[in-house]
Amino acid sequence: MKFSIEKKLAGTLARAGTIETANGTIQTPAFVVVGTKATVKSLTSEQLRSLNAQVVLANTYHLYLQPGTDIVEQAGGFGPFMDWHGPTMTDSGGFQAFSLGAAFGQQVSKVATGKAPMQNIDLEGLYSNKSNPLAKVTDEGVLFKSHLDGSKHLFTPESSMLAQWKLGADMIFAFDECTSPTAPYDYQAKSLARTYEWAKRCLVHWNKLNAESEAGLPEKIPQEFRRALFGVVQGGRFQDLREQAARDLGSLDFDGYGIGGSFTKDDIGTAVGWVNALLPEEKPRHLLGIGEPIDLFEGVQAGCDLFDCVLPTRIGRHGTLYTHDGKIHIKNAKFVADFAPIEDGCTCYTCTHHTRAYLAHLFRGDEITAGTLASIHNVHFLLRLVEKIRASILDDTFFEYKKEFLEKYSR
């Protein structure tokens, strides 16, 4: 992988650039479409190409369990497996330490609306006697119980690197522990130290896998064609921990950086800015699991180059659609006889061929096509939004575009 910066936006950390991989070039800032199980829910790879998606991210934990990383490796990696031949990414499985462990049964996500820490979290990342979690965090790794059959699996930094190597992505993430946004300071600090130790172990094993793959070759693989490893910055909502993580991981030889963990909705831009002010400028930064339109502007302004999120297809499958005037819920009665497109001026397949009334009919009739058409529009909306953000950096109109978009979207 090779990253280059084309333009920096004065007075901010925002920049426009390019990431070169063995499977194609990504123009940044870019939205990464999530294909959890080597499929973007409700969409085909051909539809992704028609939307001009640049890069797809798959989930290591889910593909490890089904169909298994050996099967995916035999297919040539998850990209060829799903007939996607552009750039690819995989996460590490670390987020499942949160979603199947501390967050299991708690109705808490990685983004909180308040800032009060929970007091009932113990030092192994599990909430005290309030659920039957499927993951337990230790210094060695994360012990998972499969959500499919209850079988036990230990994910370590080393096994995560091997799994992601077999999945064949161009860019992968170091194994980390994602903590709850409500976790107290003491636990965040303990978790941060653990994630740093895991990061060093990931680097050692990733370099070993690269050396083994290049053994016998006449020369080393050029940097732009070598698969990349991103470190993951954690630290919760605490500035000193975030900055410590950025300094520690920034001193290690990662190819790029993911910014993970937990935020409150109001401090995404602030917390990300703390981190990106300290990370090496010449390496790409990926804001993990964030994809709301408003958050994309904040993340770009704070120096992020890549974003991934399941939201466009997840909310689409339930009838919620992005428009420049804000989200609409197509199941509402007012859309039953509305023969306008989802959004005037939108060039996606859904808007150029179908009406709000048709989508309302499909959703009310529980038709499978409903989720596909809604997801096409939502993914198109975010891809075009980030394209326009990139263009506004290049022509120095970012703040004008941000103001214009948010005034209309938020009203």
Side-chain angles (χ1 to χ4, degrees):
M1 184 206 74
K2 182 180 178 182
F3 176 63
S4 58
I5 299 172
E6 296 177 43
K7 175 75 175 288
K8 299 177 187 177
L9 186 64
T12 75
L13 296 173
R15 67 263 190 96
T18 58
I19 297 174
E20 298 174 55
T21 77
N23 289 300
T25 298
I26 305 164
Q27 294 187 321
T28 65
F31 181 76
V32 180
V33 184
V34 177
T36 301
K37 300 178 183 179
T39 177
V40 178
K41 288 189 184 298
S42 77
L43 299 179
T44 67
S45 295
E46 181 56 36
Q47 287 169 324
L48 291 179
R49 284 188 283 275
S50 72
L51 290 166
N52 293 322
Q54 297 192 78
V55 52
V56 174
L57 178 147
N59 183 283
T60 299
Y61 165 80
H62 286 287
L63 290 176
Y64 164 84
L65 290 180
Q66 189 181 66
T69 54
D70 288 340
I71 295 293
V72 178
E73 184 179 34
Q74 290 172 39
F78 90 83
F81 194 39
M82 66 178 285
D83 187 35
W84 174 258
H85 303 287
T88 53
M89 307 183 82
T90 45
D91 60 15
S92 69
F95 180 71
Q96 277 65 44
F98 167 67
S99 62
L100 299 178
F104 190 75
Q106 298 299 312
Q107 296 184 327
V108 60
S109 74
K110 65 182 289 181
V111 179
T113 55
K115 296 188 177 183
M118 275 189 184
Q119 300 302 321
N120 61 342
I121 189 168
D122 68 26
L123 293 182
E124 291 183 329
L126 307 177
Y127 288 106
S128 305
N129 301 317
K130 289 208 169 185
S131 64
N132 182 25
L134 299 179
K136 181 175 182 178
V137 181
T138 71
D139 288 341
E140 176 61 18
V142 181
L143 181 64
F144 292 99
K145 288 182 183 177
S146 167
H147 69 285
L148 299 176
D149 61 12
S151 57
K152 292 184 178 180
H153 306 268
L154 178 65
F155 264 34
T156 66
E158 293 78 14
S159 67
S160 175
M161 295 300 94
L162 179 59
Q164 292 185 81
W165 182 270
K166 290 182 177 181
L167 294 177
D170 296 308
M171 295 165 280
I172 79 162
F173 288 95
F175 193 59
D176 66 301
E177 182 188 1
C178 177
T179 55
S180 168
T182 55
Y185 183 92
D186 289 348
Y187 184 78
Q188 293 279 13
K190 179 182 176 68
S191 173
L192 195 67
R194 176 186 290 137
T195 289
Y196 179 55
E197 293 303 315
W198 287 359
K200 291 187 289 186
R201 288 167 57 186
C202 285
L203 268 171
V204 169
H205 202 68
W206 187 247
N207 289 333
K208 178 175 179 288
L209 291 169
N210 272 294
E212 290 173 352
S213 73
E214 292 179 344
L217 295 179
E219 57 185 18
K220 286 190 174 182
I221 299 171
Q223 181 64 30
E224 59 266 35
F225 298 119
R226 195 174 186 180
R227 289 191 264 172
L229 176 61
F230 284 44
V232 180
V233 178
Q234 295 287 354
R237 302 160 291 110
F238 303 101
Q239 183 173 359
D240 61 330
L241 296 183
R242 283 280 178 187
E243 291 178 342
Q244 176 188 332
R247 284 191 294 267
D248 288 344
L249 292 174
S251 69
L252 301 177
D253 191 25
F254 285 108
D255 300 296
Y257 295 91
I259 302 171
S262 50
F263 310 91
T264 61
K265 195 67 176 172
D266 298 331
D267 68 7
I268 288 179
T270 303
V272 172
W274 298 334
V275 168
N276 286 340
L278 296 172
L279 287 175
E281 184 181 58
E282 71 279 7
K283 296 183 178 182
R285 306 148 179 170
H286 182 119
L287 187 54
L288 288 153
I290 300 296
E292 281 283 358
I294 294 173
D295 298 334
L296 294 176
F297 281 96
E298 296 302 322
V300 167
Q301 191 170 335
C304 289
D305 307 293
L306 298 167
F307 305 83
D308 77 273
C309 194
V310 299
L311 273 179
T313 53
R314 176 176 289 171
I315 67 173
R317 295 193 308 277
H318 292 89
T320 298
L321 295 147
Y322 294 120
T323 79
H324 283 81
D325 292 312
K327 295 175 189 171
I328 63 172
H329 192 64
I330 202 65
K331 295 181 185 180
N332 289 346
K334 65 181 180 178
F335 298 118
V336 169
D338 185 343
F339 295 98
I342 298 302
E343 181 162 44
D344 287 330
C346 178
T347 59
C348 78
Y349 172 85
T350 303
C351 287
T352 55
H353 290 79
H354 299 293
T355 64
R356 294 177 173 187
Y358 183 64
L359 261 71
H361 157 65
L362 294 180
F363 274 104
R364 285 167 170 255
D366 292 325
E367 292 291 339
I368 295 173
T369 311
T372 295
L373 292 177
S375 294
I376 286 172
H377 172 78
N378 281 351
V379 171
H380 176 274
F381 183 92
L382 288 188
L383 291 174
R384 298 296 84 75
L385 174 61
V386 179
E387 279 184 7
K388 291 175 181 177
I389 291 174
R390 171 184 163 83
S392 74
I393 294 172
L394 293 174
D395 65 12
D396 290 314
T397 61
F398 174 82
F399 290 108
E400 292 90 336
Y401 179 56
K402 177 183 177 182
K403 182 175 183 291
E404 174 190 345
F405 179 89
L406 296 183
E407 282 181 350
K408 192 175 180 184
Y409 185 81
S410 304
R411 68 187 178 191

